[in-house]
Amino acid sequence: MHTQLKLTSRPITVTGSLDLAALPTLRARLSGLPPGTRLTLNLSAVTVCDHRALGILFAAARRARRQGGGLHLVAPSDVVVKSLTATGLIRLLPVVADRTTDTPEPEIAKAA
């Protein structure tokens, strides 16, 4: 199964497997974002989540924060939550359980 990173409006929806084959695509899509980018990833349709993919997400979140932006994970699937918990990254990455919670509207935009 291939992973697709779709820019569907808000947030970016990630579908399929975040496995070894998907890592180059994930890294390429998350690297090189303009400074100040605020990025939200909907992970509800992720079926496999490799710990190396989480490392890429963590690095992207850290880079975004250093550059005045941010990265949030929305509605992670059970496999993503298990991987985040097993690695301890659940405490380090901003996670919103679902899109129905009262949170600010996530955006994919360069901060003003």
Side-chain angles (χ1 to χ4, degrees):
M1 179 179 280
H2 294 285
T3 297
Q4 297 178 24
L5 300 179
K6 298 182 199 174
L7 183 55
T8 57
S9 68
R10 294 184 187 158
I12 292 177
T13 301
V14 181
T15 62
S17 298
L18 286 178
D19 56 12
L20 187 60
L23 297 182
T25 301
L26 182 64
R27 186 177 291 113
R29 294 295 297 263
L30 295 179
S31 65
L33 294 171
T37 298
R38 293 172 41 189
L39 184 66
T40 300
L41 298 177
N42 180 330
L43 302 179
S44 62
V46 172
T47 56
V48 174
C49 187
D50 186 277
H51 68 278
R52 291 167 284 210
L54 295 179
I56 292 170
L57 294 177
F58 178 71
R62 187 176 55 202
R63 186 172 47 254
R65 279 192 306 271
R66 279 195 312 249
Q67 296 177 347
L71 182 141
H72 294 82
L73 309 179
V74 175
S77 66
D78 289 342
V79 295
V80 174
V81 171
K82 287 178 186 175
S83 294
L84 287 168
T85 302
T87 60
L89 290 174
I90 194 85
R91 296 179 317 239
L92 301 175
L93 288 169
V95 177
V96 177
D98 63 47
R99 296 277 298 146
T100 62
T101 59
D102 289 337
T103 57
E105 179 64 28
E107 45 184 290
I108 304 166
K110 187 174 177 183

